[in-house]
Amino acid sequence: MQKVSNKNLFIIFTILFSIFYLWDIGNLSAPRQGTESLYVQISQEMYDTNNIMTPHYRGERHWSKPPFHFWMPFPLYALMGESSLTGARASQAILTIILAVFTAGWLKRRFRIEPLLTLAFFLGGYGAIKFGRTFMMETSLSLLPFISSLFLFDYIKDKSKKSFILAILFGGAGALIKGPVTIVMSFLAMSCYQLFLYKKDKKFIIKECFFYFLAITILSCSWYFASYLSYKEEFFNYFFVRENLGKFGKVPMPMYKVFQGLFLYTLPWVLILPLTWNKLKKSFKGLNKETYYFFFHFVCFFVVWLIPSQRSHHYAIPAVPFFMTFLLLQVDLDTLREKSKYVLALVTPLNLLFLVISCILVYFSNGVMIAVNLIFVLLIVISMITIAKKNVLIGFNTIGLYLIFLWSIVISQFYIPAVPEGAKSLFKDKKVALVDRRSYFYEQSLEMNVEPIKKHQVQDFLNKENAVVIAAISRITPEIRDSHRVIAKWNKWVRRARWRHIKAALTQRSYEPLKEDVYLLMK
């Protein structure tokens, strides 16, 4: 039997990753992040009202972020004939896939890194999977500056005008995702790299960097200037004072959360870091330029996010592509094959965990989900067998496949709709409010306006004619619930389940402790 070439395997795995990334991506019950609804609604309002330059949220100007992230789904909205959650999320999935494929080709051309390995690292990691299927900013915030840095590397090496222009375009776009912080991180990284080059070769790249940063600053600042000219102090106070400087005055969160995020979002590939130790020492001692280039970018894109007091796991995401590339430069395929038993030992705990979970799911599932869970089991087993047989490229990509298969298809059996079908008739001809900051997913589920309110506003809203309020028990007090008529009740998953929830679920052998009650209240 003729062996399939790595080139054909690359195409096959890219297609499979694409299918799983885009599978049922617009499902309202799929995993989502807290602020995703805000970003989707802003993007849809900008498109629907043709208000391209100024982000709006529920009819009001909202400058929490620059507009480029909100523009990204516009081509898909146009193709689909309307703005939608599907189009918004798909824009990030497609961006993730295309730029992963590009990075695989770039690393092959520059450093002869096997594209299949790059594909696994950039599409099969937890961070890529989690944010590649939501309309959060992490994907565009991390990948656009990263791709810009690749073209800047090309420009410094080859002095290609094409590379310079592409570096500017991606860098300018990256600076219009979350603000000037992207330029600051890149500037710090290139400053460190310049010091390194001067120490090693007495080489200067100040001229190239000066024009690069000047160009991306001018390109990105065009929107800031236009917005300031139109709205003066209103824009300045909102964007620069409230949304950016305000980050430093938020309730502090521990710094270790960003380090946790780096570990979580680079799983499972961070596990093979011990096997790169010898080459890593050699690269640093030999003052390898490529190693230092990506190392400085990784450090600067990580450390800057330790400064704001409002830290979170996702603050590590901008550094992840640079970490993955830095790790790929230290990976030696021959070493991995020779030490396949060690590789297998490193990934076996993860594989066994999911294998046990998958077998339990097969036992308790029925209908089509039996087949889904069996495919999940099969992918896990294939990954273990191929690594054991020293075919690490297929093994690594199969690990990535079963992780995205788990995230996009397997967990669909646990989806809980925002509003159950049986309760939707209760909302007919009603004024509806939700005790929460945002109501986008309820509006999409009910196909009607749902006003977000705070718990102290429940009584006033219910005093209106034909008014109902949706409230999770975690959002209101039992007294508020008991002082009104409950006309329907359903469940939703607890947000940010704690150990006490998990322990209770294990003790009771039930999912119920991981859920909370949602009430439909009426006067």
Side-chain angles (χ1 to χ4, degrees):
M1 185 176 177
Q2 188 176 2
K3 185 179 178 181
V4 181
S5 68
N6 284 352
K7 181 178 180 181
N8 288 335
L9 283 173
F10 182 85
I11 295 171
I12 291 169
F13 277 113
T14 300
I15 292 171
L16 290 173
F17 272 117
S18 301
I19 291 171
F20 295 156
Y21 262 88
L22 294 168
W23 187 276
D24 198 22
I25 199 169
N27 194 308
L28 293 170
S29 302
R32 58 180 182 262
Q33 291 291 108
T35 53
E36 182 188 14
S37 59
L38 170 68
Y39 299 149
V40 175
Q41 195 156 355
I42 290 174
S43 177
Q44 289 189 226
E45 285 193 32
M46 290 177 73
Y47 181 82
D48 293 340
T49 61
N50 201 29
N51 199 333
I52 306 301
M53 292 300 293
T54 306
H56 277 70
Y57 176 65
R58 303 187 79 86
E60 296 183 0
R61 289 187 285 273
H62 191 92
W63 288 295
S64 61
K65 300 292 182 293
F68 192 83
H69 182 72
F70 308 129
W71 293 340
M72 293 181 72
F74 283 12
L76 290 177
Y77 292 163
L79 285 173
M80 298 169 67
E82 62 177 356
S83 62
S84 66
L85 177 65
T86 298
R89 285 178 172 171
S91 69
Q92 299 307 291
I94 292 170
L95 180 73
T96 302
I97 295 162
I98 290 176
L99 295 188
V101 171
F102 170 80
T103 302
W106 190 90
L107 290 175
K108 172 69 173 178
R109 173 171 58 86
R110 276 290 174 192
F111 310 122
R112 303 190 65 80
I113 294 174
E114 174 55 52
L116 274 170
L117 195 60
T118 304
L119 193 73
F121 274 49
F122 274 79
L123 292 183
Y126 175 53
I129 291 169
K130 179 178 181 179
F131 293 106
R133 278 180 56 86
T134 61
F135 192 61
M136 295 293 288
M137 292 187 168
E138 276 66 26
T139 295
S140 49
L141 177 65
S142 60
L143 290 181
L144 294 179
F146 170 71
I147 297 299
S148 178
S149 74
L150 300 187
F151 284 119
L152 181 59
F153 186 90
D154 280 341
Y155 176 63
I156 292 171
K157 287 279 186 179
D158 307 330
K159 299 298 183 290
S160 165
K161 289 183 179 179
K162 179 182 176 181
S163 297
F164 181 65
I165 292 171
L166 289 171
I168 291 169
L169 292 176
F170 278 95
L176 281 175
I177 298 296
K178 219 165 186 175
V181 64
T182 303
I183 300 176
V184 173
M185 293 186 292
S186 183
F187 178 79
L188 291 174
M190 292 307 296
S191 297
C192 293
Y193 188 59
Q194 168 61 90
L195 292 173
F196 164 77
L197 288 179
Y198 180 76
K199 180 180 178 180
K200 184 178 188 293
D201 298 327
K202 296 294 187 289
K203 181 180 178 180
F204 287 100
I205 54 169
I206 294 175
K207 179 181 177 181
E208 293 89 337
C209 290
F210 173 78
F211 285 111
Y212 168 74
F213 287 110
L214 178 64
I216 64 172
T217 302
I218 293 173
L219 182 61
S220 61
C221 281
S222 58
W223 176 79
Y224 298 104
F225 283 129
S227 297
Y228 181 77
L229 289 174
S230 298
Y231 299 103
K232 304 294 190 297
E233 285 79 10
E234 180 188 357
F235 167 73
F236 183 85
N237 291 334
Y238 197 122
F239 183 83
F240 290 101
V241 178
R242 170 181 156 181
E243 292 296 328
N244 284 277
L245 293 179
K247 293 286 185 184
F248 295 90
K250 296 286 186 179
V251 177
M253 297 179 72
M255 193 176 292
Y256 70 78
K257 283 188 172 290
V258 189
F259 287 91
Q260 285 180 339
L262 180 65
F263 178 76
L264 288 171
Y265 295 138
T266 54
L267 281 172
W269 316 122
V270 68
L271 298 176
I272 67 169
L273 188 60
L275 297 178
T276 67
W277 182 245
N278 289 334
K279 189 173 179 181
L280 188 62
K281 287 193 297 183
K282 184 178 178 181
S283 296
F284 274 115
K285 288 182 179 179
L287 300 179
N288 181 275
K289 293 180 183 178
E290 293 80 16
T291 296
Y292 276 92
Y293 183 83
F294 289 103
F295 175 74
F296 287 138
H297 276 82
F298 157 62
V299 170
C300 293
F301 274 69
F302 180 78
V303 170
V304 165
W305 292 102
L306 299 176
I307 298 173
S309 58
Q310 192 187 26
R311 306 176 189 95
S312 185
H313 290 142
H314 67 269
Y315 278 23
I317 283 290
V320 168
F322 295 105
F323 178 84
M324 291 299 192
T325 305
F326 171 74
L327 187 58
L328 282 165
L329 287 170
Q330 315 314 317
V331 170
D332 184 85
L333 268 179
D334 291 333
T335 301
L336 291 182
R337 292 187 180 109
E338 290 171 8
K339 299 183 177 181
S340 59
K341 292 181 179 179
Y342 294 99
V343 176
L344 189 61
L346 289 170
V347 299
T348 289
L350 185 71
N351 283 346
L352 287 179
L353 171 65
F354 287 120
L355 191 59
V356 171
I357 292 172
S358 62
C359 290
I360 294 172
L361 291 176
V362 169
Y363 181 77
F364 286 104
S365 58
N366 52 59
V368 70
M369 292 313 300
I370 294 178
V372 168
N373 293 325
L374 284 173
I375 292 172
F376 185 40
V377 172
L378 181 63
L379 289 171
I380 296 171
V381 172
I382 290 173
S383 71
M384 297 175 74
I385 292 173
T386 50
I387 292 174
K389 290 189 172 184
K390 300 185 178 182
N391 200 331
V392 293
L393 293 176
I394 293 178
F396 280 8
N397 276 278
T398 308
I399 290 175
L401 280 182
Y402 85 62
L403 289 174
I404 182 63
F405 187 79
L406 166 68
W407 191 262
S408 61
I409 300 177
V410 174
I411 64 172
S412 65
Q413 58 196 297
F414 300 105
Y415 288 174
I416 299 178
V419 179
E421 287 297 324
K424 288 185 178 180
S425 60
L426 299 172
F427 293 89
K428 187 177 181 181
D429 301 324
K430 295 288 195 300
K431 297 182 181 72
V432 185
L434 172 72
V435 183
D436 207 334
R437 293 175 63 193
R438 301 178 188 97
S439 59
Y440 174 82
F441 289 98
Y442 284 88
E443 289 183 324
Q444 296 299 305
S445 179
L446 293 169
E447 298 181 343
M448 62 189 302
N449 182 62
V450 178
E451 181 181 340
I453 62 173
K454 298 179 180 179
K455 64 182 180 182
H456 68 266
Q457 298 174 304
V458 170
Q459 183 63 57
D460 290 339
F461 188 87
L462 288 177
N463 285 333
K464 299 177 181 179
E465 187 178 356
N466 290 327
V468 293
V469 170
I470 305 168
I473 189 60
S474 60
R475 295 285 182 177
I476 58 173
T477 62
E479 290 74 22
I480 293 175
R481 176 197 60 193
D482 296 339
S483 61
H484 298 93
R485 185 155 56 101
V486 177
I487 61 174
K489 185 180 82 170
W490 59 90
N491 297 119
K492 72 185 226 20
W493 293 111
V494 172
R495 191 181 175 204
R496 293 176 183 170
R498 308 296 182 189
W499 170 242
R500 59 185 173 87
H501 298 113
I502 299 170
K503 184 179 179 181
L506 292 172
T507 303
Q508 299 176 27
R509 297 182 181 181
S510 169
Y511 296 125
E512 294 308 310
L514 299 173
K515 300 176 183 177
E516 66 172 325
D517 291 332
V518 180
Y519 300 98
L520 183 60
L521 304 176
M522 197 170 185
K523 187 175 178 182

